[in-house]
Amino acid sequence: MNIFGRGRRKGNGSNGNGAVIWMKDIRKVYGAGKVHVEALRGIDLAIAKGEFVAIVGPSGSGKSTLMNLIGCLDTPSGGEYELAGQPVEGLDPNALADIRNRRVGFVFQSFNLLPAITAFENVEMPLLLGGVPKRQRRRRGTELLERVDLADRSHHKPAELSGGQLQRVAIARAMAMDPDILLADEPTGNLDTSSGGDIMSLFSALHETGRTILVVTHDKALSRRASRVVEIRDGLIESDQKSATDSSPPA
Ligand code: ADP
Ligand code: MG
């Protein structure tokens, strides 16, 4: 199944090792003085294009901090980070905004949809921000909602949708600009098992189309789908293991 199928994108810049996400000694300190928190204490991480990585670890270990840095929602206190072969540090705010809108899609535990507008309008939002003309927005938005099996809910507002439906809208929105990288922070954390399973299937389908996927999860069923599991503890990588089993979903 190739529900988010698309043409392959040309290769990008390079840090010499082909990694799409490359970090060296990344640190993040929140606050200052006595109340400061060292959320990340020296992360080395290289993720190749097309990997499906689960990030696991106890609450407070720095998983969300790491995801926010990877997605350029926040900046590190130290260390080097290259996204698609480009050092992020040197980028101006416009370039960063462009990365956030075009290169990376985000999915959050709490969905983060805009409550006052419909499912369709939420999915359309990144396209609007990206300057996509109306006719194309309409076509792309409709396609995306069909792919997450919500064509019949496109004119509903978030308050009228279930948790699983909200997360599927959020995934459609994250994929609107056809990003290479999908970041999801505990995407099934607020869902029942069955809705969580639908979300997992969508990630697997996206992985099959060549996207690079990073998912923070406590959900063993979700981490089992990943091709690699990175465990964070106290702001450091505690273990980093390629999955022994095939990561493709059962036939
Ligand atoms: P996780 O996602 O693994 O639960 P987080 O990355 O959210 O962990 O948090 C890591 C540490 O950084 C925790 O001690 C948390 O309290 C702290 N922290 C996270 N965000 C902030 C913030 N904006 N200001 C201050 N401390 C923060
Ligand atoms: Mg978190």
Side-chain angles (χ1 to χ4, degrees):
M1 189 173 58
N2 223 14
I3 62 162
F4 286 93
R6 61 166 191 179
R8 223 20 89 86
R9 193 166 280 175
K10 278 261 153 46
N12 30 45
S14 174
N15 41 42
N17 55 25
V20 66
I21 291 163
W22 183 85
M23 293 184 146
K24 179 88 187 147
D25 199 26
I26 284 288
R27 292 161 187 276
K28 179 66 184 181
V29 181
Y30 291 113
K34 275 195 182 146
V35 293
H36 82 285
V37 176
E38 284 184 87
L40 297 176
R41 301 191 293 132
I43 298 280
D44 294 336
L45 185 64
I47 293 174
K49 188 170 160 54
E51 280 196 272
F52 185 172
V53 181
I55 299 186
V56 302
S59 179
S61 56
K63 304 181 300 295
S64 294
T65 300
L66 179 63
M67 294 294 265
N68 291 343
L69 294 181
I70 289 173
C72 301
L73 296 180
D74 201 356
T75 51
S77 312
E80 294 170 64
Y81 174 32
E82 294 181 15
L83 181 60
Q86 281 211 308
V88 168
E89 197 186 37
L91 297 175
D92 64 38
N94 283 336
L96 281 175
D98 198 60
I99 285 176
R100 286 192 294 261
N101 196 43
R102 289 171 195 277
R103 300 215 67 115
V104 180
F106 274 95
V107 175
F108 303 92
Q109 179 172 4
S110 51
F111 322 121
N112 291 13
L113 298 173
L114 295 172
I117 61 177
T118 64
F120 180 86
E121 289 163 339
N122 269 283
V123 173
E124 186 186 30
M125 190 57 74
L127 301 167
L128 261 174
L129 296 173
V132 175
K134 181 164 182 170
R135 186 190 290 260
Q136 275 163 260
R137 291 203 306 270
R138 186 142 304 251
R139 195 178 53 220
R140 178 94 181 127
T142 305
E143 262 172 29
L144 285 159
L145 282 169
E146 278 169 10
R147 286 168 188 177
V148 297
D149 205 18
L150 284 176
D152 58 339
R153 291 292 186 277
S154 80
H155 299 297
H156 289 244
K157 290 188 179 164
E160 300 157 359
L161 301 173
S162 71
Q165 290 172 335
L166 291 170
Q167 198 59 301
R168 284 185 278 144
V169 173
I171 291 173
R173 177 182 62 180
M175 297 314 298
M177 293 297 285
D178 199 15
D180 290 315
I181 303 170
L182 183 69
L183 304 176
D185 193 349
E186 304 202 32
T188 63
N190 286 344
L191 304 180
D192 60 77
T193 309
S194 156
S195 311
D198 295 344
I199 300 305
M200 287 187 237
S201 298
L202 283 172
F203 287 136
S204 291
L206 285 164
H207 179 225
E208 282 171 25
T209 67
R211 264 66 167 227
T212 307
I213 302 189
L214 274 76
V215 187
V216 172
T217 186
H218 293 293
D219 188 337
K220 285 271 186 290
L222 191 41
S223 62
R224 266 200 298 276
R225 298 227 181 181
S227 47
R228 177 175 169 191
V229 179
V230 174
E231 187 184 357
I232 311 278
R233 194 172 285 267
D234 289 334
L236 290 169
I237 292 180
E238 167 111 339
S239 69
D240 183 345
Q241 287 180 310
K242 294 254 157 93
S243 156
T245 55
D246 180 16
S247 72
S248 56

